[in-house]
Amino acid sequence: MAGDGRRVRPLRPTPLLVAMSGLLVLASALFLVTATVPAVPPWLNWLPIAASSVVLTRAAWRTSKLAGRDPLARRLWQDLTLVALLVLAGIVGDFRHALADPSFDGVSHDLPTAIIYGLSILSLIWMLIRLPTGQRREINHTARFALDAATVGITTGIIAWFALVQSYGSVAAAGPDVVPMLVLAALGLCGSLAFVKISMIGMGGLDGVITRLLALAAALGAAGGGLTPLLVDLRPGLSSSHVTVCATMLCAAFAADRQRRITGVRPVVRPRRRSSLVPYVAVAATDGLLLWVGATTGGMFLIIAIAAVLLTALVALRQVHALLENDRLLRRVDAGQAQLAHRASHDHLTDLANRTLFEQRTREALLRSGSRAMSLALIDLDDFKAINDRLGHAVGDALLVVVAARLKECVRGDDLVARLGGDEFGLILDGLRGDEATEVLDRITEALRRPVHALGYDLLVSASVGLAEGWADAAPQELLRRADLAMYAAKEGGKGRHAVYDAELEKHQAADAELGAALRQALDNGEFTLVYQPIVRLPDGHWTGMETLIRWHRPDRGFVGPDTFIPIAERTGLIVPLGDWILRTALRQAAEWDRLYGDAAPREIGINVSARQLREPGFANDVKEALAETGFDPERVVVEVTETAVFDGGVALDTLQNLVGLGVKVALDDFGTGHSSLGLLRTCPVDTLKVDKSFVDGIGGRSEEAVIATAMIQITNGLHLQAVAEGVETAEQAETLYRLGYRFAQGYHFSRPLSPAQVAHSLEQASVAA
């Protein structure tokens, strides 16, 4: 962990750091040699400085490219590249001056060079002022910085002036060249102050360690020139800048290396310091200088100096006390705001991140995905609505809390778990690619398989999970769409599993979209037809009813199976108009058979109804209208529904109750393949159970099927329900079923689905035979 809460890659000796450290050692060695060996020319000291400036300029530019999608860091290093270029230009000017004048001390710059240095420092200050600080309350931030800068400038000027007077003996002896030096020293310390303030108050995500390193660099650069007067008696041409500039460049190099190591790492926000220590340090420095001069002078001036220092100390203590009180109040306000911000970004039930924070973190993770992997998963609990409807919302909420806790247990500390709404959750797996992320999903699947205890109920939970992997330049909404597509693919695959997005899923979606459009057109063009499979009486095979089945023959593609287009019709909602067409067409056909064949016509007509139709508020009224239009007896209509369609209860179950109120019968289709089948027999108004084909296959060869079939017929007899065995394909199966107690069946052994003309032909033959 680093100082600002980031997990960063460890510090290692990179070529940049080795080169800059070597140049600093070379500069120090040359400085010592030049100071002790008169034969060595002082201008050699400028070579390591120029080299380090070139290396830093290149490093700053490369770092701006490395910052990638972090706009704040990219702009900072681009601006620092400009500053480094200006400094390099100034060093070239000083080097030229040193070649012409061996006594040049690196402080008394000529006017063009002084202007270049001044522009570099002003560019630095302007760069920092225009960067966002992230402090909404500090509207007067720029004004406060200007006041602090003025304080530092005045203090620096006084101390530097006193040092020059002490070194040269008088201002006149120092000469006019000290003015640029004083100005540049003051500006340099102001630049250092700017970095210090930014590192203290924070800057919209800019790393604090980097700003502190750059502040140290600015301070070394500014103070280096100020030490030169102390070397005036050592040897002409020597300057403390010969060493401190290389030290400055090394600090900046460490900052660039730090930027490389934190790229792609999300920072942890630390509390910001609200008050600045700069004015107090400046006052303390001035007071120290005043006491020093007073002690040197003595007499009344010393007494006045002590009194002034005590007075300023009391004023400073009073202000510090007021600032501490303000800080306590602001901390309380911040705590309240932090709580409100947490509530605004987190789910109140599970305390997980909400959709807003999830989408924000998705954008942030994608910004970092250029340098590292990331994956996103969407999780949807299977059949959660049924738990809410049957056991109540309190149990459902307790279940969600347990599920949220298990999800958090299955991920790493840096991963984000969010509740997106209802029973849908999201995961951001930063740094994991698809194959690595699937291991996390395996853990989640295993964790959810354990029974969940919620308010006295032990519940079994499963979830469908869709996973999508981020890529360069990915849009957040597109990534979410891909994960959502994978999640629905997992549901279609049987629930309780996960699916990973790939190009094949996209092809399937495109095919589904094309087929959905063709469905709409086929309905308008009358491309659908109905066929009818007889339900017979055992053992004689007499027709007692018909199950209505739909067929689609596309003019351009040929036959399309119901298992292909019915799921798409349900997903797109086209099942509602399609089902209405089936209902009205089947009732008209049944009424026509009644008119033509009287008592020889099938007694019941079975019509399959989907879960989507049952959830339509007006479905029962639509059935009532269709019955009125055709005049068909409602007691001879059987609505066939699957267990899954009515398991959720709620509106679907209410619709069935309304249909029963009309006189319509209800059959549970594919009985035994769904969940909670026996529980449905108590809540669903069932008249007929249609035993699924899977329990009929092999009934004559293995005892297991016979045991299950026997249990089902005993259940139906005990509940006074009618049982119909589906998928009977052999005479042996029919005989075994009859022996077990079944009196009704359907399947290819008796008849394949027939067109209306084929049904009419069979009815006519039966009438002639009668």
Side-chain angles (χ1 to χ4, degrees), residues 314 500 556 715:
L314 290 174
V500 181
D556 57 339
I715 291 172

Side-chain angles (χ1 to χ4, degrees), residues 538 699 709-710 712-714 716-717 721-725 734-744:
L538 296 178
I699 195 171
T710 301
M712 288 188 177
I713 195 64
Q714 290 174 347
T716 56
N717 289 339
L721 302 176
Q722 179 176 290
V724 177
E735 292 172 2
T736 303
L737 288 167
Y738 180 72
R739 189 170 61 251
L740 292 175
Y742 286 84
R743 296 299 176 261
F744 300 94

Side-chain angles (χ1 to χ4, degrees), residues 252-333:
F254 272 106
D257 181 76
R258 167 77 178 184
Q259 183 68 59
R260 175 189 62 82
R261 290 186 291 118
I262 67 169
T263 297
V265 180
R266 182 164 54 88
V268 177
V269 178
R270 298 294 189 188
R272 299 185 301 266
R273 185 177 298 179
R274 299 180 178 85
S275 56
S276 173
L277 298 177
V278 172
Y280 303 100
V281 173
V283 170
T286 305
D287 284 349
L289 180 61
L290 185 61
L291 288 175
W292 183 13
V293 174
T296 304
T297 305
M300 184 61 66
F301 188 83
L302 176 61
I303 297 174
I304 295 175
I306 294 174
V309 170
L310 289 176
L311 181 61
T312 54
L314 290 174
V315 172
L317 288 174
R318 176 66 182 87
Q319 190 170 1
V320 167
H321 177 74
L323 288 174
L324 291 176
E325 289 294 325
N326 289 338
D327 278 351
R328 278 193 289 268
L329 292 175
L330 289 174
R331 276 195 293 269
R332 293 178 186 175
V333 173

